[in-house]
């Protein structure tokens, strides 16, 4: 069952986000496995993250990888992201 996740990252800059993303992409394997879509939106107070995951297990595996790396690059642990089961989704072909 697909899972939607929304996270508010107050105080996080796009530069911090880019550094985190670069570190994650440099890891062996594919830490993003199971991610169907990802959007990062700058806001007046930080960033909003929106993800669509194949399953709750895929999201949990990613969280186990991202949290230590986020801490390493100075991104503070925020509140609990909002998650929910997805009724339906589709992705247009490029």
């Amino acid at each position: 069952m697909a899972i939607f996740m929304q996270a508010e990252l107050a105080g996080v800059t796009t530069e911090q986000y880019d550094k985190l993303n670069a570190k994650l992409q440099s890891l062996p394997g594919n830490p993003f496995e199971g991610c169907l879509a990802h959007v990062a939106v700058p806001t007046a107070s930080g960033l909003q993250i929106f993800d669509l995951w194949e399953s709750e297990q895929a999201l949990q595996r990613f969280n186990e990888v991202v949290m230590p790396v986020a801490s390493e690059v100075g991104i503070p642990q925020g509140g609990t992201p909002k998650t929910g089961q997805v009724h339906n989704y589709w992705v247009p072909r490029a």
Side-chain angles (χ1 to χ4, degrees), residues 1-8 34-41 48-60 63 80-90:
M1 166 97 28
I3 300 294
F4 180 76
M5 187 278 307
Q6 176 190 0
E8 299 275 342
C35 185
L36 301 171
H38 170 81
V39 178
V41 180
Q48 281 192 328
I49 304 296
F50 303 92
D51 283 351
L52 180 62
W53 290 89
E54 289 178 342
S55 66
E56 190 167 344
Q57 294 80 13
L59 174 57
Q60 288 173 350
N63 282 337
T80 303
K82 297 175 187 175
T83 61
Q85 292 182 348
V86 174
H87 170 70
N88 188 25
Y89 72 92
W90 61 272

Side-chain angles (χ1 to χ4, degrees), residues 1 5 18 23 29 42-43 45 55 79 93:
M1 166 97 28
M5 187 278 307
D18 291 344
K23 281 199 169 265
T43 67
S45 62
S55 66
R93 299 217 183 253

Side-chain angles (χ1 to χ4, degrees), residues 6-70:
Q6 176 190 0
E8 299 275 342
L9 304 178
V12 175
T13 66
T14 55
E15 290 80 13
Q16 288 173 303
Y17 168 85
D18 291 344
K19 188 174 181 181
L20 170 63
N21 196 39
K23 281 199 169 265
L24 289 170
Q25 289 185 23
S26 73
L27 294 175
N30 179 7
F32 306 104
E33 185 174 351
C35 185
L36 301 171
H38 170 81
V39 178
V41 180
T43 67
S45 62
L47 288 175
Q48 281 192 328
I49 304 296
F50 303 92
D51 283 351
L52 180 62
W53 290 89
E54 289 178 342
S55 66
E56 190 167 344
Q57 294 80 13
L59 174 57
Q60 288 173 350
R61 281 191 307 268
F62 178 73
N63 282 337
E64 291 170 4
V65 172
V66 74
M67 296 312 287
V69 178

